[in-house]
Amino acid sequence: MPKKTMEQMQQEVDAYISQFKEGYFSPLAMLARMSEEVGELSREINHYYGEKPKKTTEAERTVEEEMGDILFVLICFANSLNIDLQEAHDRVMNKFNTRDKDRWTKKED
């Protein structure tokens, strides 16, 4: 499967959501949904890497699946607010590469 750009992912999600009359949820509802998905990821991380094993009656979910859910909701959130995630990513990386460039110990070559 070929790799997608962030722009393609945002367009794909928009095409999916646009087929429904309800459209995107409100920003507050989106934030609540994002919080719910992060909670589900936290639960999976705790099952795989923490001290709380999964119950035998619980459905098998994966960290990858939960991260995918978070990405979908994040893209919905960005689309609903007309935010270009590629541009947002570029701004954040510039911030880390300037403000935080000497914050951490770099590996030696």
Side-chain angles (χ1 to χ4, degrees):
M1 185 174 224
K3 300 280 183 186
K4 297 175 186 174
T5 66
M6 184 57 70
E7 180 180 10
Q8 289 170 322
M9 288 190 279
Q10 284 193 254
Q11 289 171 352
E12 183 178 16
V13 169
D14 191 60
Y16 174 77
I17 296 295
S18 294
Q19 66 183 325
F20 303 110
K21 289 180 182 179
E22 294 82 1
Y24 291 106
F25 295 154
S26 70
L28 188 57
M30 243 26 118
L31 184 60
R33 178 124 187 261
M34 177 75 70
S35 298
E36 177 186 338
E37 296 298 346
V38 170
E40 290 175 11
L41 174 62
S42 298
R43 185 174 175 83
E44 287 304 308
I45 293 294
N46 196 23
H47 288 317
Y48 286 106
Y49 304 104
E51 290 71 41
K52 186 178 179 190
K54 198 172 270 222
K55 295 176 188 173
T56 56
T57 57
E58 287 184 277
E60 188 64 31
R61 299 202 53 152
T62 65
V63 170
E64 180 180 24
E65 185 179 354
E66 296 303 341
M67 286 186 176
D69 289 346
I70 291 169
L71 181 60
F72 178 81
V73 175
L74 178 64
I75 292 171
C76 286
F77 208 169
N79 285 354
S80 74
L81 298 173
N82 295 315
I83 293 172
D84 180 329
L85 284 172
Q86 178 68 51
E87 189 176 304
H89 169 78
D90 291 344
R91 281 195 214 138
V92 168
M93 288 309 299
N94 182 57
K95 177 175 67 177
F96 284 117
N97 286 320
T98 55
R99 182 192 73 189
D100 294 340
K101 67 182 174 73
D102 297 319
R103 185 173 186 178
W104 310 106
T105 306
K106 293 196 176 173
K107 294 179 181 180
E108 294 183 29
D109 293 331

